[in-house]
Amino acid sequence: MTPGGTRGAPGVVVVTGVGRYLGAHVAARLAADQRIERVIGIDPPESGGESTDLPDGVERLRVDGGSLGSLLADLDVDAVVHLALVTAPDPQHGGRGAMKEQNVIGTMQLLAACQRAPRLRKLVVRSSTAAYGASFRDPAVFTEETEPREVPRGGFGRDILDIEGYVRGFRRRRPDVTATVLRFAPFIGSTADTTLTRYFSQPLVPTVLGRDPRLQFLHFDDALEVLHRSVVEDHPGTYNVAGPGVLSLTQAIRRAGRVAVPVLEPGLSNAAALARTLGFGRIGLDQVDLFVHGRVVDTSRLEREYAFTPRSTAAAFDDFIRAHHGRAVLTREQLAAAERAVLDGIRQVRAAVRERS
């Protein structure tokens, strides 16, 4: 396959998870492509979380996992885009148990259905750089071949490892299908609304004392572009998808005109307490570990095979800042004064601890 090469766009495309933000936008983009005849969005009969209206041209079906096999065959599906993943447990919708049911069991059912779909020739699966985990033993940069030094502690990272394992098995059983796995960095940008964007939207941004992790972001529009190309072009394999370059956490916070408020790390074994301390609502251990250790991936394979380079991490973050804030919340002088106040507070806490000991 040559970079950007294609043997024709598929006629019928199924997109899972269209009730969520990413799935709805991917389905709309594919429906606008005149080379694609039909776009069908699939959601469970009773799906929690987001609910998004779909544009004209996208059909929505609500089916359970057990009905997928006959559905894909009856629809003569050419391509499946699997986006129906939950990134963090939602206590209001079953917590970690429901999350694993959708991510792992749902993917198993979908792949079993794909295996029985005779016309299927393309499978695109959303994955995540959370597959690499995040720990103090990590290499400076992860490539697609790098194994995680430690099994991810968070449920989402472990789910991703299971999902990718099932896709490898599918590839062996259906070598005639072009299977593409996209390991996305955290989304950001003018339209993204995620745990990450809500974190940076706070005037005072809690951080872990003594930690300044390196971070990579991916602009939401670039994620859509890569997903679109994965459907209409042939790109078998696994790809890291992230904006080139990095920002440290403190750089990102200052860029946003926010104030970093370092807090003492209560020990990662007490992750729930740390998450509450950091001011998050729904958050998993994957996000906690990311903001302690950071993660950077190599994207040269994506750039070579897709002939496409996402905008840089810094540019994606700046677009988020412009859209969500318009300007810095604090002036440079106010920012410096606030940071001095935070540092003075830390010194006072340390002095009090020394006196008690």
Side-chain angles (χ1 to χ4, degrees):
M1 181 203 67
T2 59
T6 178
R7 57 188 174 105
V12 179
V13 180
V14 161
V15 180
T16 69
V18 292
R20 295 178 177 274
Y21 191 77
L22 176 63
H25 280 73
V26 170
R29 182 162 179 150
L30 294 174
D33 190 329
Q34 296 182 355
R35 296 170 294 177
I36 297 174
E37 299 172 7
R38 188 179 182 190
V39 177
I40 303 165
I42 291 180
D43 272 323
E46 296 181 1
S47 57
E50 304 172 40
S51 181
T52 304
D53 293 332
L54 296 178
D56 294 338
V58 179
E59 306 169 46
R60 171 180 266 167
L61 298 177
R62 292 192 178 273
V63 296
D64 56 40
S67 304
L68 282 173
S70 59
L71 178 69
L72 296 187
D74 293 343
L75 294 173
D76 288 333
V77 172
D78 298 294
V80 170
V81 185
H82 184 36
L83 306 175
L85 301 184
V86 179
T87 59
D90 185 351
Q92 295 182 348
H93 294 94
R96 171 60 185 149
M99 175 184 175
K100 186 170 184 178
E101 178 76 18
Q102 178 163 335
N103 290 349
V104 179
I105 305 304
T107 299
M108 289 176 62
Q109 293 172 328
L110 177 68
L111 293 177
C114 289
Q115 186 175 338
R116 300 193 299 272
R119 285 186 49 129
L120 186 73
R121 62 183 178 87
K122 188 165 296 184
L123 172 68
V124 180
V125 177
R126 174 191 180 181
S127 184
S128 168
T129 55
Y132 300 114
S135 76
F136 68 92
R137 301 177 60 230
D138 287 347
V141 179
F142 287 98
T143 69
E144 286 85 353
E145 286 75 29
T146 307
E147 296 291 333
R149 299 296 175 89
E150 295 182 1
V151 176
R153 298 189 317 132
F156 183 58
R158 295 198 302 271
D159 289 352
I160 288 296
L161 292 180
D162 289 340
I163 288 167
E164 291 198 6
Y166 297 140
V167 174
R168 287 192 294 271
F170 174 83
R171 283 172 171 153
R172 291 191 293 270
R173 295 188 297 271
R174 288 290 304 268
D176 58 309
V177 176
T178 298
T180 303
V181 174
L182 302 172
R183 291 176 179 163
F184 289 116
F187 296 144
I188 205 163
S190 59
T191 60
D193 181 18
T194 66
T195 299
L196 183 70
T197 60
R198 291 189 289 273
Y199 172 77
F200 284 113
S201 296
Q202 302 173 100
L204 301 178
V205 182
T207 63
V208 177
L209 183 63
R211 305 282 191 172
D212 192 17
R214 298 178 307 145
L215 304 173
Q216 271 182 317
F217 306 129
L218 175 66
H219 196 286
F220 184 76
D221 292 346
D222 291 332
L224 295 181
E225 177 68 21
V226 171
L227 282 162
H228 189 183
R229 292 188 184 210
S230 298
V231 174
V232 300
E233 301 171 356
D234 286 345
H235 296 289
T238 299
Y239 300 89
N240 291 330
V241 190
V246 301
L247 285 175
S248 71
L249 180 56
T250 55
Q251 285 176 328
I253 292 171
R254 289 188 64 88
R255 212 177 186 102
R258 268 53 181 160
V259 176
V261 181
V263 298
L264 295 175
E265 184 180 341
L268 290 180
S269 60
N270 192 359
L274 177 58
R276 288 193 297 271
T277 302
L278 291 178
F280 291 99
R282 288 177 55 193
I283 183 171
L285 282 171
D286 309 280
Q287 291 95 334
V288 172
D289 286 350
L290 178 65
F291 277 88
V292 173
H293 302 290
R295 184 187 303 119
V296 179
V297 300
D298 175 76
T299 59
S300 57
R301 176 182 292 178
L302 173 82
E303 295 170 12
R304 181 177 63 252
E305 297 295 332
Y306 281 71
F308 172 73
T309 301
R311 72 203 73 187
S312 70
T313 286
F317 191 80
D318 286 348
D319 188 52
F320 156 73
I321 295 301
R322 285 191 298 269
H324 286 72
H325 312 304
R327 60 180 177 83
V329 171
L330 301 178
T331 66
R332 183 175 300 178
E333 293 75 16
Q334 290 172 323
L335 183 62
E339 289 177 336
R340 285 195 299 271
V342 170
L343 291 174
D344 289 342
I346 293 172
R347 295 189 189 100
Q348 293 172 8
V349 170
R350 287 176 170 171
V353 170
R354 284 195 297 269
E355 289 177 2
R356 286 196 297 268
S357 59

